[in-house]
Amino acid sequence: MGVTYKYFGAPDGATAARVPISMRPEELGGDELGMNGMFTKIKPETMAAMVLTGIEGVPLHKVPPLELVVLHPDYAVVKLPMTVVNPLRGIGEEAVGAAAFIWSTVPDRGGPRDAFNVYQLLHEWQDFSHRLHEAGHQPYCLVWP
């Protein structure tokens, strides 16, 4: 089994750091961290690069690093820059489709991804970005092996 990433929103780093440590990700409900989260196998660095290069046109080497909030032997919490979720709120179908196509051509360890799968993922992220904005939260990721 690989690493699972749970993306969630929190008002600040102190709140984000108080993650449940006794539960496995598959046991967590939707609102235990104050925001409907998203489980995925996609790394936060990849997500940041996908949005910033595919939508904002930022060169890959200029994608900002993630901020480490907690490093524990059993898990880690990282903060994603708001520049990763904010651009998704204002774009339409054409921009999402174009970003999905661009990202589908970028080879990763598993080879290029199907553009439609990337398109669906970006839509999930678009919904997530709206929920974050409405709650006044910032994006975080719980990394659990």
Side-chain angles (χ1 to χ4, degrees):
M1 188 168 148
V3 175
T4 299
Y5 303 97
K6 163 122 186 180
Y7 293 92
F8 65 96
D12 53 51
T15 304
R18 291 192 299 268
V19 295
I21 60 171
S22 62
M23 304 169 92
R24 300 301 303 161
E26 59 273 8
E27 297 170 341
L28 298 177
D31 289 325
E32 77 287 348
L33 296 170
M35 169 65 68
N36 280 335
M38 296 186 337
F39 287 114
T40 182
K41 294 287 185 187
I42 298 188
K43 296 190 290 189
E45 307 86 74
T46 303
M47 224 27 248
M50 188 185 302
V51 170
L52 294 175
T53 59
I55 295 172
E56 294 291 288
V58 174
L60 213 44
H61 68 281
K62 295 223 184 224
V63 172
L66 305 175
E67 178 184 324
L68 183 64
V69 176
V70 174
L71 181 58
H72 185 276
D74 297 327
Y75 65 92
V77 176
V78 295
K79 179 182 178 188
L80 284 78
M82 286 304 285
T83 54
V84 173
V85 291
N86 283 344
L88 290 166
R89 287 199 330 270
I91 63 170
E93 286 297 310
E94 285 183 23
V96 172
F101 175 76
I102 291 166
W103 196 258
S104 72
T105 65
V106 176
D108 59 23
R109 281 181 279 179
R113 292 186 170 270
D114 178 79
F116 184 70
N117 290 343
V118 177
Y119 174 81
Q120 288 178 308
L121 175 72
L122 286 172
H123 266 291
E124 289 176 33
W125 268 83
Q126 200 170 34
D127 293 342
F128 181 58
S129 68
H130 284 291
R131 292 193 312 264
L132 283 174
H133 181 71
E134 289 163 11
H137 286 178
Q138 298 176 29
Y140 293 90
C141 183
L142 170 60
V143 181
W144 220 317

